[in-house]
Amino acid sequence: MRLRNITGSREVIAENDFVIHDPEKRKGRWHEVFGNDAPIRLEIGMGKGRFLMTLAAQHPEINYLGIEKYSSVLLRALQKMEETPLPNLRFIRMDAEYITDVFDKEEIDRIYLNFSDPWPKDRHAKRRLPSRQFLARYDGILKADGIIEFKTDNRDLFDFAVNEIKEIEADESYEGSKWKIDAITYDLHNNETLVAGNVMTEYEERFSSQGNPICKYIISR
Ligand code: SAM
């Protein structure tokens, strides 16, 4: 039966083989899911999944996982996977707040944050995926030489993200890892170096076609 003919997204996801249903049980054993020792890269807030599907097709030697909070959104990715199945790509429906329950120390090679929800109210800052609270979680699952790549057209969110790195650096009482910015641009599509190999996300295509410049940073510890 074709997925697009089915209504209840939760039920469809519960039965889909591309979705990992018991992610906590895989903690420390994610290589078993893919059946190899290739690096594992994660997109958090993957939306409809085009970015990961493009990368997974381009790089069969790397494993990819997509995390998405909402079943209705993840369903769209599953519909695409049904048409073009990729052995090195799997999905998890969960809130990224709990990623340290799902991944062990140093289990993840790279994290992608693409067009993350801005949560514009100050009191919601800790829900922003590039916030210091989330960086501390990423610190708990990323390899020592792992990197985080973040892109967005939302300048306020991007300035917040850059400022988080600076404030963590300046805070002597901060107990987690410090981060450094390895690369940064406020206009990705006109940055010859950083745009090389860039894979557009659904949101990136929409906002850049409206003329919005795309900001990007790459950070490591
Ligand atoms: N990355 C995609 C792109 O660039 O086209 C989608 C961007 S969309 C603005 C942000 C997505 O992140 C939404 O699908 C949302 O449900 C998901 N999301 C936001 N917060 C999340 C969280 N804490 N855990 C998992 N997914 C989350």
Side-chain angles (χ1 to χ4, degrees):
M1 196 189 311
R2 294 186 68 77
L3 292 176
R4 65 173 55 90
N5 298 331
I6 302 174
T7 40
S9 47
R10 268 185 185 265
E11 291 73 15
V12 174
I13 285 165
E15 286 171 13
N16 194 282
D17 290 340
F18 297 121
V19 181
I20 306 301
H21 302 289
D22 46 4
E24 296 86 359
K25 291 190 187 152
R26 312 298 174 130
K27 185 171 179 171
R29 302 168 47 204
W30 279 95
H31 287 295
E32 293 173 14
V33 168
F34 295 102
N36 59 48
D37 282 329
I40 301 173
R41 298 186 177 169
L42 194 65
E43 185 186 7
I44 301 181
M46 53 166 271
K48 297 177 197 160
R50 186 172 91 183
F51 174 79
L52 280 183
M53 282 181 215
T54 308
L55 277 182
Q58 283 176 353
H59 298 284
E61 75 288 1
I62 294 169
N63 297 319
Y64 293 93
L65 281 169
I67 290 182
E68 171 53 51
K69 191 156 64 167
Y70 293 110
S71 306
S72 55
V73 183
L74 181 53
L75 186 63
R76 305 293 296 274
L78 298 181
Q79 288 167 341
K80 286 192 238 163
M81 271 286 264
E82 186 194 34
E83 279 155 26
T84 324
L86 291 157
N88 57 333
L89 175 58
R90 291 291 177 272
F91 306 116
I92 310 170
R93 194 196 61 75
M94 65 175 284
D95 188 325
E97 196 179 331
Y98 305 106
I99 42 167
T100 53
D101 296 339
V102 165
F103 300 104
D104 219 342
K105 270 186 179 301
E106 307 231 1
E107 202 162 17
I108 296 300
D109 173 74
R110 186 174 297 188
I111 294 174
Y112 298 103
L113 307 174
N114 292 320
F115 296 79
S116 308
D117 292 341
W119 291 105
K121 292 190 177 131
D122 284 348
R123 70 172 192 276
H124 291 147
K126 64 175 189 284
R127 296 186 191 174
R128 299 172 192 154
L129 293 180
S131 66
R132 68 192 69 189
Q133 290 83 359
F134 271 98
L135 288 174
R137 296 176 184 120
Y138 307 148
D139 189 26
I141 66 170
L142 252 192
K143 284 191 188 308
D145 60 354
I147 62 171
I148 300 175
E149 298 194 12
F150 169 50
K151 54 183 176 174
T152 181
D153 69 318
N154 186 313
R155 184 60 191 262
D156 287 344
L157 179 65
F158 192 69
D159 288 345
F160 165 82
V162 170
N163 200 46
E164 288 291 84
I165 308 295
K166 290 181 185 159
E167 285 194 9
I168 289 171
E169 177 62 36
D171 183 355
E172 283 170 16
S173 65
Y174 186 81
E175 288 177 1
S177 297
K178 308 270 178 170
W179 299 83
K180 57 182 169 38
I181 297 177
D182 298 324
I184 187 164
T185 176
Y186 292 84
D187 190 0
L188 175 63
H189 295 178
N190 287 307
N191 182 304
E192 229 175 275
T193 315
L194 289 182
V195 81
N198 183 52
V199 171
M200 294 255 254
T201 78
E202 274 102 351
Y203 272 68
E204 183 170 357
E205 184 138 306
R206 189 193 307 170
F207 293 122
S208 61
S209 72
Q210 291 169 10
N212 296 6
I214 308 302
C215 304
K216 175 172 179 170
Y217 76 33
I218 302 174
I219 60 170
S220 64
R221 290 160 292 180

